[in-house]
Amino acid sequence: MSWGHWPVGLQTVVLLLASNVFMTFAWYGHLKSLSMAPWYVAALVSWGIALFEYLLQVPANRIGYAEFNVGQLKIMQEVITLTVFVPFAMFYLKEPFKLDYVWAAVCMVGAVYFIFRSA
């Protein structure tokens, strides 16, 4: 099965997951890897990484918009962001796990319910 034959929802989620990995590194990776560099170096490196995020995010939204409304795309994006961010914070930045991550996820489940219930 080629990429174009994947269901729209799956294409959208896969592209959003990949774009979020890039964006999480762009936004937070410099806190560890470039902590001693001047802020403008970190910003330039982050912009370079973010380019790849946009190369995935834009097609994800364009493909997804064929099946989802913009609110659904946004909530999907936020759920994926949390799904990518928590392991990144714990394993890359060595942040401790917090119960607040669980509560945030519960709130996101509510957001998903409300934005998709009328679909």
Side-chain angles (χ1 to χ4, degrees):
M1 179 185 288
S2 69
W3 173 255
H5 295 333
W6 289 17
V8 168
L10 182 59
Q11 290 181 53
T12 303
V13 168
V14 168
L15 287 167
L16 288 175
L17 273 167
S19 73
N20 257 275
V21 170
F22 282 107
M23 203 63 201
T24 301
F25 272 95
W27 284 3
Y28 303 104
H30 62 87
L31 298 175
K32 179 178 178 180
S33 61
L34 296 171
S35 63
M36 302 308 271
W39 72 265
Y40 54 86
V41 170
L44 290 172
V45 169
S46 293
W47 284 344
I49 295 169
L51 171 64
F52 295 100
E53 186 270 342
Y54 284 105
L55 292 174
L56 297 167
Q57 177 77 16
V58 170
N61 285 329
R62 292 174 69 97
I63 290 167
Y65 195 60
E67 187 169 309
F68 305 107
N69 65 47
V70 78
Q72 291 169 329
L73 285 169
K74 182 59 180 167
I75 294 300
M76 192 182 312
Q77 169 66 33
E78 295 304 326
V79 169
I80 291 169
T81 296
L82 185 61
T83 302
V84 169
F85 176 77
V86 172
F88 174 86
M90 292 173 54
F91 297 114
Y92 187 76
L93 295 178
K94 308 296 185 202
E95 295 281 329
F97 178 79
K98 297 177 182 177
L99 195 55
D100 289 342
Y101 293 147
V102 174
W103 302 130
V106 168
C107 290
M108 294 304 261
V109 168
V112 169
Y113 169 76
F114 286 112
I115 203 72
F116 282 93
R117 72 180 170 155
S118 62

